[in-house]
Amino acid sequence: LPPPTRQPNTYVFPGGVIESADSSPRWMDLYYECCAPYKHPFSPILDLNQSNCPRLPLYNDIKDTPIAGEIAFRICAIREIFEEAGVLLVRDKQEVEQLVDVLPGSFPPAVKTLPTSALSEWRRRVHDCADEFLTMCKELQCVPDIWSLIEWSDWLTPRNYTNGRYDTIFYLCFCEQQPYSRPDDKEVTDSKWLSPDDAIRRFISGELTLAPPQFGELNILKSFGSAPCLHSYALLSSVQGCRTRFNSVRIRTKDNILLSLTADDDLYPLEGGESSDAVGTLHHPQSPLLRDKVQLRVTSQKFYEYECPSHTADELGAMSNRRSRMELRGKNNFRFVDDVRYTKIMEYVERFSHATKSKL
């Protein structure tokens, strides 16, 4: 990302802010036109609402339009990756049939290639006006391939940020081949296809800078070991529901390390006061902060930002039963730990590996 963006000179996943154009009722007309005679083209996605799994609150932000939030955010993601990377995930009319009544992400995406001049012109127009994405799809007689995206995770800016918090959903998309991509030189000045291992290695060496959500997600993706295993797990997880992973609070430790904790962490403070000597009420009943009387107080008049002057980060880690946290130890020195999620993933990876060997 170029200056003066929120995170200049930082590598992030493609994406951006949802626009009113992404939930325009005119998308309904285009989808029903392209998907005829299928009466319910969105059912594979919206049927997830009928299960007992939790749905993301940010979907409820889409109001006063027949386009559901689950659809609008997918359109937004596809529009943004086209703007920023030049990758166009759309399906022609005749390609929609196979997607009816299947789980989103079961089929690889349809990647449309445009002539260089047309690609540049449409990217410019869509960048200048989000409504032009719908115009382009009409002219090309295609629709955004919303069925190729799998809900993966939701990150919410830490609570102590009072200026510019973001609620961001990450999707996974499994391509058969690596699509050609090119930065737009406006919002994005460089782009790379990297494996999770390579991206983390380059971050640690100082070759590139990652934002905390990217670092956390890359560590999770790395743990699967293979794309087929990740794909299988992602499909299963999407049925069980995607929930907010990082509505985090921050604690600065005795050794000046910043811990960013999720609600799964047993150090997570559930409540806190605004005075400088307030002590938080803890989320987990067996939290070491209660059991061992660790000092915790609100700092700098910022609600949900704490300090722990009595213990170091390693001491708190050794006392914790469940860790779901990012440890910010310095520039290019992050550590991401999610005991609950890692345990679940490792159990799945072992079962997947055993099943794969049994088929050979």
Side-chain angles (χ1 to χ4, degrees):
L1 296 177
T5 54
R6 184 179 179 87
Q7 294 177 314
N9 304 315
T10 301
Y11 283 87
V12 299
F13 303 135
V17 178
I18 193 165
E19 303 282 355
S20 59
D22 300 319
S23 59
S24 169
R26 293 184 297 155
W27 281 113
M28 294 288 289
D29 300 331
L30 182 61
Y31 271 101
Y32 279 105
E33 176 187 340
C34 287
C35 299
Y38 314 111
K39 296 181 179 180
H40 304 289
F42 305 140
S43 61
I45 297 169
L46 299 183
D47 281 352
L48 294 175
N49 282 331
Q50 307 305 317
S51 64
N52 294 324
C53 62
R55 306 307 297 156
L56 294 177
L58 83 169
Y59 288 146
N60 298 326
D61 293 340
I62 305 301
K63 301 175 181 178
D64 303 322
T65 176
I67 291 286
E70 287 87 341
I71 307 303
F73 276 91
R74 280 172 163 81
I75 293 173
C76 171
I78 293 170
R79 174 181 56 78
E80 285 286 349
I81 196 172
F82 175 65
E83 285 186 38
E84 296 183 353
V87 177
L88 184 55
L89 303 177
V90 294
R91 286 194 180 270
D92 297 330
K93 292 182 179 181
Q94 60 271 23
E95 297 180 311
V96 175
E97 180 178 0
Q98 64 178 335
L99 304 173
V100 176
D101 298 327
V102 299
L103 196 63
S106 298
F107 287 88
V111 182
K112 194 174 188 66
T113 302
L114 298 179
T116 302
S117 58
L119 176 65
S120 299
E121 176 62 15
W122 277 118
R123 289 179 73 184
R124 181 193 64 78
R125 290 173 60 175
V126 174
H127 180 274
D128 292 343
C129 177
D131 289 289
E132 288 296 288
F133 191 52
L134 176 61
T135 302
M136 181 191 71
C137 289
K138 282 184 175 180
E139 289 196 18
L140 298 178
Q141 294 188 319
C142 60
V143 290
D145 190 3
I146 55 176
W147 306 276
S148 66
L149 304 184
I150 304 175
E151 290 181 5
W152 179 244
S153 65
D154 179 39
W155 286 66
L156 184 58
T157 307
R159 287 180 169 184
N160 60 293
Y161 280 68
T162 58
N163 184 19
R165 296 187 70 198
Y166 291 92
D167 192 354
T168 303
I169 182 170
F170 288 155
Y171 296 97
L172 294 181
C173 184
F174 291 84
C175 301
E176 291 183 313
Q177 297 179 337
Q178 178 176 302
Y180 170 79
S181 65
R182 180 179 178 180
D184 62 0
D185 294 325
K186 296 179 181 178
E187 297 181 42
V188 180
T189 57
D190 186 34
S191 63
K192 300 180 185 295
W193 288 102
L194 299 173
S195 69
D197 273 329
D198 194 17
I200 293 171
R201 179 188 59 79
R202 295 191 188 195
F203 169 71
I204 293 174
S205 69
E207 185 178 341
L208 56 79
T209 300
L210 297 172
Q214 276 67 33
F215 180 77
E217 288 297 345
L218 288 168
N219 275 273
I220 292 291
L221 297 176
K222 172 185 174 181
S223 62
F224 287 93
S226 72
C229 183
L230 171 60
H231 190 192
S232 176
Y233 181 89
L235 289 173
L236 177 63
S237 297
S238 68
V239 176
Q240 297 173 345
C242 176
R243 65 187 183 83
T244 302
R245 177 177 299 166
F246 246 77
N247 181 14
S248 60
V249 300
R250 292 188 168 189
I251 298 178
R252 188 168 296 279
T253 62
K254 179 181 178 180
D255 51 342
N256 202 34
I257 292 174
L258 194 61
L259 305 181
S260 188
L261 314 175
T262 79
D264 287 333
D265 197 297
D266 62 7
L267 296 186
Y268 189 86
L270 183 62
E271 297 176 359
E274 295 187 10
S275 60
S276 60
D277 59 350
V279 177
T281 300
L282 284 307
H283 174 78
H284 194 277
Q286 300 301 320
S287 169
L289 271 73
L290 278 178
R291 186 176 63 248
D292 299 307
K293 298 181 180 179
V294 174
Q295 184 181 3
L296 181 70
R297 65 187 184 213
V298 177
T299 60
S300 305
Q301 304 295 317
K302 290 184 179 179
F303 195 34
Y304 295 119
E305 184 166 333
Y306 301 85
E307 68 175 11
C308 181
S310 57
H311 290 72
T312 66
D314 289 340
E315 289 171 342
L316 289 178
M319 296 162 58
S320 302
N321 298 317
R322 303 192 315 171
R323 298 170 299 169
S324 180
R325 65 186 69 166
M326 184 88 70
E327 298 180 2
L328 298 102
R329 296 171 174 262
K331 183 178 180 181
N332 288 25
N333 189 2
F334 295 172
R335 184 186 178 197
F336 181 77
V337 185
D338 192 334
D339 291 333
V340 177
R341 191 168 178 84
Y342 273 130
T343 299
K344 182 179 179 182
I345 289 173
M346 289 300 100
E347 291 175 350
Y348 187 86
V349 169
E350 184 175 353
R351 293 197 304 271
F352 184 87
S353 177
H354 178 75
T356 302
K357 290 178 180 178
S358 299
K359 294 178 181 179
L360 297 179

